[in-house]
Amino acid sequence: MPRNRPGSVFTKGTADRRKSARRDYDGQAGPPGHPDLKGFGANGRIFFWLRAGMAAPGAVHVGLVAVSEAMVNAAHAEALAAGATEIHPPAPQPHYDPRYYAAQVKDPDGYGLEFVFKSWQHGS
């Protein structure tokens, strides 16, 4: 990934539970409300999650990190203009954290895309 771009999050269903229990994953439990996720990352930030399940477009969720709420809004608008369907509009997501601002769409192939700004990760 180019260094001048924010990181992203990727979740994928996997039918083989052993893949989510391998030693190269840190075994961190998922965020509140998602104990079925297992992930790994660096410097205290998990950025890759696996969940047991059938692999299918509807099981794939890609989270793209934005550096502002305005970027979330713009990405959401561009995705809709490109043929995505809305899952939820840009808004705070207090069920995760009151500072978690995101929007979700399903792209024309059925993949879930989330545009997310976490202010505490950007010094604001």
Side-chain angles (χ1 to χ4, degrees):
M1 171 172 276
R3 291 195 181 271
N4 63 343
R5 298 206 175 195
S8 61
V9 176
F10 176 77
T11 62
K12 180 184 181 304
T14 177
D16 186 349
R17 204 156 199 35
R18 291 172 297 173
K19 290 181 182 177
S20 62
R22 293 183 349 200
R23 294 178 61 90
D24 53 341
Y25 297 104
D26 68 10
Q28 292 292 314
H34 298 284
D36 56 328
L37 295 177
K38 299 293 181 191
F40 72 95
N43 301 319
R45 291 179 67 185
I46 306 288
F47 54 82
F48 186 85
W49 297 97
L50 290 176
R51 170 186 291 135
M54 297 303 296
V60 176
H61 173 89
V62 179
L64 303 166
V65 177
V67 297
S68 68
E69 290 182 9
M71 184 181 276
V72 169
N73 298 341
H76 175 259
E78 290 292 326
L80 294 178
T85 57
E86 185 171 77
I87 296 171
H88 73 73
Q93 304 298 307
H95 54 284
Y96 293 127
D97 186 283
R99 303 163 295 168
Y100 190 114
Y101 187 87
Q104 287 189 29
V105 299
K106 185 173 286 195
D107 80 2
D109 293 322
Y111 296 101
L113 304 176
E114 179 181 16
F115 312 110
V116 60
F117 172 62
K118 300 174 185 176
S119 62
W120 68 94
Q121 293 180 342
H122 298 279
S124 45

